[in-house]
């Protein structure tokens, strides 16, 4: 009787092992993404089984509780895109991708995935990092640089005008000095001519 029980237990174990090995549990891998400002970002999750449904929520941090906003993708509710198609889901067998066009600074952060398959469901998290989200600040820096250059050009122009004015003033001063020196000579010449004319008379 004991051997029959052992045999039954072994058969039960083998049947359970075989059903588990044939009905493998679903696994999902979600990858972090880094992209440039205003480019298209593709956040993807891959499964070893066919993905049937996807729910994606935008979060400040996937690991932080209550930081997730409303779903941007929810195939249960037939929501395959949001923001007039700027964010959209591409689902092909065991690969799910969320394409975000013209990424903005507000797109940066975590994306919490709820993935469903016939073999079970899993949660995943992917982080989107934008390498240059501060384009407006860069534009402001360019404006500041242009203003500084304009100021330097105006200063140079003012320096040139001052130099020319000084040269003219110096030229006027030299001419005045020449006139001052010539006046005594002219007076002496006039007095000499008067003396000559007086002697002739």
């Amino acid at each position: 009787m004991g051997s029959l029980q052992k045999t039954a237990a072994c058969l039960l174990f083998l049947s359970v092992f075989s059903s588990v090995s044939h009905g493998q549990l679903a696994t999902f891998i979600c990858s972090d993404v880094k992209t440039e400002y205003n480019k298209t970002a593709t956040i993807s999750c891959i499964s070893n089984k066919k993905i049937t449904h996807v729910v994606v929520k935008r979060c400040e941090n996937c690991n932080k509780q209550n930081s997730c906003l409303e779903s941007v993708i929810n195939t249960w509710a037939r929501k395959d895109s949001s923001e007039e198609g700027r964010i959209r889901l591409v689902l092909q067998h065991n690969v799910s991708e969320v394409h975000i066009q013209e990424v903005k600074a507000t797109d940066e952060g975590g994306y919490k995935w709820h993935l469903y398959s016939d073999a079970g469901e899993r949660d995943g998290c992917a982080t989107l990092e934008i390498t240059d989200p501060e384009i407006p600040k860069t534009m402001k820096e360019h404006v500041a640089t242009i203003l500084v250059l304009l100021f330097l050009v105006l200063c140079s122009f003012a320096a040139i005008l001052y130099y020319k004015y000084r040269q003219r003033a110096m030229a006027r001063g030299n001419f005045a000095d020449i006139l001052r020196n010539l006046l005594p000579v002219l007076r002496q010449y006039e007095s000499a001519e008067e003396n000559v004319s007086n002697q002739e008379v």
Side-chain angles (χ1 to χ4, degrees), residues 92-151:
Q92 294 179 340
H93 193 67
N94 65 329
V95 178
S96 59
E97 294 178 341
V98 170
H99 296 257
I100 305 173
Q101 297 177 346
E102 298 176 357
V103 293
K104 321 179 260 197
T106 51
D107 294 325
E108 193 170 43
Y111 288 80
K112 192 163 188 176
W113 294 67
H114 302 279
L115 300 165
Y116 302 83
S117 75
D118 293 334
E121 62 181 81
R122 288 286 185 277
D123 290 345
C125 181
T127 302
L128 173 62
E129 181 184 346
I130 300 173
T131 55
D132 193 11
E134 303 297 338
I135 293 296
K137 286 188 180 178
T138 305
M139 291 299 291
K140 284 179 184 175
E141 287 172 6
H142 285 317
V143 170
T145 305
I146 289 167
L147 288 173
V148 168
L149 289 173
L150 187 63
F151 176 75

Side-chain angles (χ1 to χ4, degrees), residues 139-191:
M139 291 299 291
K140 284 179 184 175
E141 287 172 6
H142 285 317
V143 170
T145 305
I146 289 167
L147 288 173
V148 168
L149 289 173
L150 187 63
F151 176 75
L152 290 173
V153 168
L154 289 173
C155 286
S156 302
F157 185 66
I160 290 167
L161 287 177
Y162 175 76
Y163 177 72
K164 286 187 175 179
Y165 172 79
R166 191 177 173 88
Q167 275 188 326
R168 285 178 187 169
M170 287 176 68
R172 284 181 194 142
N174 289 341
F175 183 69
D177 288 343
I178 290 168
L179 285 176
R180 277 194 218 101
N181 292 331
L182 276 175
L183 280 173
V185 173
L186 288 171
R187 282 177 188 154
Q188 285 178 359
Y189 178 73
E190 284 176 359
S191 62

Side-chain angles (χ1 to χ4, degrees), residues 1-197:
M1 189 72 175
S3 62
L4 283 172
Q5 286 177 344
K6 287 180 182 176
T7 306
C10 285
L11 287 171
L12 181 63
F13 174 76
L14 286 171
S15 68
V16 169
F17 178 76
S18 124
S19 65
V20 168
S21 62
H22 286 298
Q24 214 176 10
L25 293 174
T27 58
F28 300 104
I29 299 171
C30 299
S31 56
D32 295 336
V33 177
K34 186 185 285 189
T35 190
E36 291 180 11
Y37 181 88
N38 215 28
K39 296 290 176 82
T40 298
T42 302
I43 309 168
S44 61
C45 285
I46 301 170
S47 172
N48 64 334
K49 295 290 181 182
K50 182 181 178 181
I51 299 170
T52 56
H53 287 283
V54 178
V55 176
V56 181
K57 291 184 178 180
R58 169 82 178 80
C59 308
E60 290 177 20
N61 187 336
C62 288
N63 300 320
K64 188 178 177 182
Q65 287 187 345
N66 302 322
S67 73
C68 294
L69 308 172
E70 83 175 90
S71 303
V72 290
I73 301 292
N74 186 345
T75 57
W76 293 106
R78 296 183 180 177
K79 185 180 180 181
D80 293 338
S81 66
S82 59
E83 294 187 27
E84 297 181 354
R86 190 179 74 88
I87 302 173
R88 62 187 179 86
L89 174 71
V90 176
L91 183 59
Q92 294 179 340
H93 193 67
N94 65 329
V95 178
S96 59
E97 294 178 341
V98 170
H99 296 257
I100 305 173
Q101 297 177 346
E102 298 176 357
V103 293
K104 321 179 260 197
T106 51
D107 294 325
E108 193 170 43
Y111 288 80
K112 192 163 188 176
W113 294 67
H114 302 279
L115 300 165
Y116 302 83
S117 75
D118 293 334
E121 62 181 81
R122 288 286 185 277
D123 290 345
C125 181
T127 302
L128 173 62
E129 181 184 346
I130 300 173
T131 55
D132 193 11
E134 303 297 338
I135 293 296
K137 286 188 180 178
T138 305
M139 291 299 291
K140 284 179 184 175
E141 287 172 6
H142 285 317
V143 170
T145 305
I146 289 167
L147 288 173
V148 168
L149 289 173
L150 187 63
F151 176 75
L152 290 173
V153 168
L154 289 173
C155 286
S156 302
F157 185 66
I160 290 167
L161 287 177
Y162 175 76
Y163 177 72
K164 286 187 175 179
Y165 172 79
R166 191 177 173 88
Q167 275 188 326
R168 285 178 187 169
M170 287 176 68
R172 284 181 194 142
N174 289 341
F175 183 69
D177 288 343
I178 290 168
L179 285 176
R180 277 194 218 101
N181 292 331
L182 276 175
L183 280 173
V185 173
L186 288 171
R187 282 177 188 154
Q188 285 178 359
Y189 178 73
E190 284 176 359
S191 62
E193 278 190 345
E194 284 178 5
N195 289 337
V196 168
S197 64

